[in-house]
Amino acid sequence: MKNRGFYQFLLVLIVFCCLSPVYGADNQRPSIDINLIIDGSRALTDVKEEVSSWVIKRLDQLLVEGDRITVWSTGTSAKVIYTGKINSNADKDAVKKSIRDISGSGTIADFSGALRDAASRPSSGLCYTLLISASQQALSSLLSGSQAGLMRYSRVEEFSGWRAIVVGLNLDTKVKRAAAGFYGS
């Protein structure tokens, strides 16, 4: 019976030593590139607070040290309003400020320009692209325009007055490359 306690202790010790690295802090994901494209048209004005709050909450869940993020505001033309690598909480705060400072004006949101720019940027591997649209007209022109192919692999989440679209940029190239590698071509 005395040995039973020893064996139970030994079992707990083995489980702790073997499984703790699996659940430990050293198990961090690789850095990713994040493209955040936000509608800069007048349509954003009515939903700006809700959009900003939702996006910032998502970024708090997603961003880790080492990630690279580029934020576009899409008005008459798409413009980068923030780009950088996340090295500290100050960097996260700068990203959040750039999002809060977006103001909606005009009737056009140049999603095509921002997506084209995002797709042309070199990626270190994993890339996450989130497009926020408050303008049905701008989204319709994107889907019927020459850049519609960039939206081929996407997922839409609908909200009242706006939508969040996760866009799988350049996935077709990556899938073809992986398939060629798998089949040895």
Side-chain angles (χ1 to χ4, degrees):
M1 263 324 187
K2 291 181 185 178
N3 287 340
R4 185 174 186 195
F6 172 75
Y7 289 119
Q8 287 175 340
F9 172 74
L10 187 59
L11 179 64
V12 169
L13 186 62
I14 290 171
V15 168
F16 177 75
C17 290
C18 293
L19 292 181
S20 63
V22 174
Y23 296 104
D26 293 336
N27 194 19
Q28 191 176 12
R29 69 161 171 77
S31 63
I32 61 174
D33 296 321
I34 299 169
N35 298 309
L36 179 57
I37 302 168
I38 301 178
D39 192 330
S41 71
R42 192 174 311 122
L44 177 70
T45 309
D46 293 337
V47 294
K48 182 182 176 192
E49 291 304 315
E50 182 183 351
V51 166
S52 297
S53 175
W54 186 88
V55 168
I56 288 170
K57 182 179 175 184
R58 291 298 176 264
L59 289 178
D60 280 339
Q61 295 169 347
L62 185 66
L63 283 176
V64 298
E65 196 169 304
D67 288 345
R68 286 163 301 285
I69 184 167
T70 303
V71 181
W72 284 264
S73 174
T74 59
T76 306
S77 64
K79 63 182 176 191
V80 173
I81 58 171
Y82 181 91
T83 189
K85 186 174 182 179
I86 302 300
N87 294 314
S88 67
N89 284 335
D91 295 330
K92 287 182 182 181
D93 291 341
V95 172
K96 293 173 187 178
K97 181 181 180 332
S98 71
I99 293 166
R100 286 187 197 102
D101 289 348
I102 293 175
S103 60
S105 64
T107 58
I108 299 171
D110 182 20
F111 293 128
S112 294
L115 281 170
R116 193 172 38 255
D117 188 18
S120 70
R121 290 175 180 252
S123 176
S124 61
L126 296 174
C127 183
Y128 176 80
T129 302
L130 179 64
L131 184 145
I132 303 296
S133 173
S135 168
Q136 186 64 38
Q137 178 186 0
L139 193 56
S140 295
S141 67
L142 169 66
L143 295 173
S144 63
S146 62
Q147 301 302 319
L150 293 174
M151 300 290 289
R152 179 181 305 153
Y153 306 104
S154 60
R155 178 181 158 260
V156 178
E157 191 170 344
E158 292 281 339
F159 297 91
S160 179
W162 64 283
R163 60 213 44 81
I165 306 166
V166 177
V167 181
L169 285 180
N170 301 326
L171 281 182
D172 51 348
T173 305
K174 291 177 183 177
V175 169
K176 287 176 186 175
R177 201 174 318 136
F182 179 75
Y183 291 112
S185 301

